[in-house]
């Protein structure tokens, strides 16, 4: 199985443009997460979803939105990108709370 | 809110030596403490975790200890090998988060052959 996949692998985006980062898992996990990773700051949770149809805000949700229409997909949208959103974005999934999170390979986003 | 402090930020050891990474957390309601390893260009991968009802857990060369009273937990790697070189992250759940994690800032471990 593929596990968890993310697309694109990398992207350069002009400030003010919108973008959707895609995430798909084939493990039938209930919970999914979006993190951003910045040098010296570790991983910070942006948004999460405990089950299809529900979403919640993490530590740094401003400027991002998510949806969870089904179990497998959890897209992250930047409505109007700003340079401070330059980061590596990781999607993760888990069978449930307090369980191992499986991470995707990441998307490197540069906002100019 | 919850805060997880991780030390040291970088650690260099000789192959065969032991490595210890320490984390402290602030939320007394935290009850799940995983450790992740991240190799260059890849996503983090769970290597070991511990829950609040256990004081120590071991898996081959890796062990984690938890002191709930002092609110700290540590990762111990024995007989280090060059392939242990990576960035390691500790994490803790935070109260009311339904199991969401706060991560430490990471430790870059270098094992010199």
């Amino acid at each position: 199985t593929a596990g968890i996949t993310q697309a694109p692998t990398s992207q350069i985006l002009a400030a003010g443009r919108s973008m959707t980062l895609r995430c798909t898992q084939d493990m039938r996990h209930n919970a999914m997460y979006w993190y951003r990773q910045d040098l010296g700051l570790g991983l910070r949770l942006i948004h999460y979803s405990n089950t299809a149809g529900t979403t919640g805000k993490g530590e740094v949700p401003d400027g991002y939105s998510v949806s969870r229409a089904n179990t497998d997909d959890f897209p992250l949208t930047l409505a109007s990108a700003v340079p401070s959103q330059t980061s590596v974005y990781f999607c993760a999934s888990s069978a449930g709370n307090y369980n191992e999170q499986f991470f995707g390979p990441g998307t490197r986003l540069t906002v100019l | 809110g919850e805060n997880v402090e991780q030390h040291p930020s970088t650690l260099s050891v000789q192959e065969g030596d032991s490595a210890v990474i320490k984390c402290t957390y602030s939320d007394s309601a935290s009850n799940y403490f995983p450790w992740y390893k991240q190799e260059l260009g890849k996503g983090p991968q769970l290597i070991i975790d511990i829950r609040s009802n256990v004081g120590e857990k071991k898996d081959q060369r890796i062990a984690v200890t938890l002191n709930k009273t002092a609110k700290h937990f540590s990762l111990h790697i024995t007989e280090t090998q060059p392939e242990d070189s990576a960035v390691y992250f500790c994490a803790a759940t935070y109260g009311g988060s339904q199991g969401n994690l706060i991560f430490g800032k990471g430790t870059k471990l270098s094992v010199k052959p």
Side-chain angles (χ1 to χ4, degrees):
Chain A
T1 60
I4 187 163
T5 58
Q6 294 184 236
T9 302
S10 64
Q11 182 75 44
I12 299 174
L13 188 66
R17 300 296 295 268
S18 66
M19 168 136 196
T20 295
L21 280 59
R22 300 184 298 279
C23 175
T24 299
Q25 53 104 358
D26 63 2
M27 296 173 281
R28 306 302 294 171
H29 284 166
N30 284 325
M32 296 188 75
Y33 313 85
W34 273 105
Y35 294 90
R36 59 178 289 172
Q37 184 174 36
D38 303 291
L39 198 63
L41 294 177
L43 292 148
R44 292 181 293 168
L45 182 66
I46 304 171
H47 284 288
Y48 65 94
S49 169
N50 288 329
T51 189
T54 69
T55 62
K57 295 181 180 180
E59 297 173 74
V60 289
D62 295 343
Y64 306 95
S65 64
V66 292
S67 61
R68 187 88 184 277
N70 58 60
T71 297
D72 299 343
D73 301 299
F74 191 42
L76 176 74
T77 297
L78 289 69
S80 179
V82 295
S84 61
Q85 291 178 310
T86 293
S87 188
V88 180
Y89 291 86
F90 287 100
C91 180
S93 71
S94 71
N97 298 330
Y98 308 100
N99 283 286
E100 176 179 2
Q101 292 187 17
F102 294 83
F103 284 79
T107 292
R108 181 175 295 275
L109 179 66
T110 303
V111 182
L112 300 175
Chain B
E2 170 74 294
N3 185 44
V4 175
E5 298 281 346
Q6 182 171 347
H7 299 281
S9 57
T10 61
L11 179 60
S12 181
V13 300
Q14 209 65 35
E15 183 178 359
D17 287 350
S18 295
V20 179
I21 303 171
K22 298 182 179 182
C23 288
T24 60
Y25 61 97
S26 59
D27 189 344
S28 57
S30 297
N31 56 11
Y32 175 62
F33 308 90
W35 285 88
Y36 285 83
K37 175 183 180 182
Q38 186 177 27
E39 297 177 344
L40 198 60
K42 296 184 178 180
Q45 187 171 12
L46 181 77
I47 54 172
I48 196 166
D49 58 11
I50 191 167
R51 298 177 194 272
S52 59
N53 57 345
V54 175
E56 184 174 357
K57 185 176 178 180
K58 204 171 184 179
D59 182 3
Q60 298 183 354
R61 297 186 296 109
I62 295 173
V64 58
T65 58
L66 171 65
N67 183 327
K68 285 219 73 180
T69 302
K71 294 185 198 166
H72 67 71
F73 56 114
S74 300
L75 178 71
H76 304 254
I77 306 174
T78 58
E79 300 171 28
T80 53
Q81 301 166 4
E83 51 265 39
D84 293 329
S85 296
V87 179
Y88 292 80
F89 293 96
C90 64
T93 52
Y94 53 101
S97 71
Q98 302 177 25
N100 290 340
L101 297 172
I102 292 284
F103 282 81
K105 292 181 171 48
T107 296
K108 184 176 181 180
L109 174 64
S110 301
V111 180
K112 299 186 187 311

